Amino acid sequence: MKSKDVYSPYKFVHLLPELKRIKNKEIVEPINLQIDLTNYCNNDCRWCYYTIHDHIDEFSKTDKLDKDLAMRILEEFKELGGQSIEITGGGEPLLSPYFKEFSQKARELGLDRALVTNGVLMTDDIIDEIKDYSWVRVSLNSASSEIYEQIHNRPGKNYHKVVSNLEKLCMVKEDDCIVGVSMITDEINYKDIYGMAKVGKYVKADNVRISLAHTPEKAALFDGIWDDVLEQIEQAQELGDEDFKVFAFSNRLKDINRESRGGFCYYHHFTTAVGANGAVYPCCYFKDISTYNLGDLNKQSFKDIWYGNKRQNFIDKIGNDCPASCWMTDKNKLGDYLTMDKKDVPHLKFP
């Protein structure tokens, strides 16, 4: 039976040969590319990560990838061994005028496709284009139009429009396409966690993902409401069954407070991020930060950047002891364990 645990921390088990190559300081081929076609957005979310943090110094709301460059990136990524793309933001991907052409090109190249969207522009023709994706995640963030408008800073009827679009997608999507509804939780919408999970189940989505807002206030954002947040999450998870999963990342207060370190990072060897400015970054955590800009695809090939000196310097310095307090820490710990020499594994003779 196929697992629906799309956020499993154990995926590295199936990448053991590559993990060992990384441990031996080899450059492995990338598997996944996260790409921002545009930084334009039709929402103005109160906790938008790219606009509220001062250290995100290469982000501009007006940046957008040139169509020819975007198509070239797909081809070069595929030639490098790439297997999947996540079309994300930055801004709202469906605002890109060539989204469908880009998606069709990725399909022709045999790349698995995924989309992160706010769902407002999921017209019937877009739904038809994305119904065979590996996964689609729609940011809803509330269980009511009133809270939706406060979070997204967009008055109007978009909430009901997004819910309707979600329902349409869930009706026509192919069986292997996983549709998820996401909620980033803050002090405004935390009482909607259970209600939003009910909406996700009502439209027949495959899962709901509940995350915590990363703001300059860090964990203090949840002072006085944390117990209520956990109670809402617990109620939401009770809705889960064989066909509907509720994923909650409530253990990330330390991540938000920047109290943990990533250590040796395997993740960035498999996944990389391209901003709407054409720059390559090690992962989404470091996207649009000049310190971690590995090269400009407007001037270099993907291959030259992937095997280039800037990326090698990142691997040697940051990648060996990553300062990021991020959600890949557990995966990296598993990678360390899987690549241990047998003689260093305690009590291996007591399985």
Side-chain angles (χ1 to χ4, degrees), residues 183 185 189-197 210 229 232-233 236:
M183 179 176 193
T185 306
N189 66 357
Y190 72 95
K191 291 183 179 179
D192 268 9
I193 292 174
Y194 173 67
M196 202 208 69
I210 303 160
V229 170
Q232 285 275 324
I233 288 173

Side-chain angles (χ1 to χ4, degrees), residues 166-167 169-171 173 179 181 198-207 243-244:
L166 255 170
E167 193 168 15
L169 175 60
C170 291
M171 287 176 62
K173 74 179 182 71
V179 174
V181 184
K198 286 180 68 177
V199 172
K201 189 164 187 174
Y202 171 78
V203 300
K204 298 189 179 339
D206 295 285
N207 64 61
D243 298 314
F244 179 70

Side-chain angles (χ1 to χ4, degrees), residues 73-87:
I73 290 170
L74 280 180
E75 293 174 348
E76 292 185 359
F77 176 67
K78 175 67 176 181
E79 289 173 4
L80 203 56
Q83 300 175 36
S84 67
I85 61 161
E86 175 185 332
I87 310 171

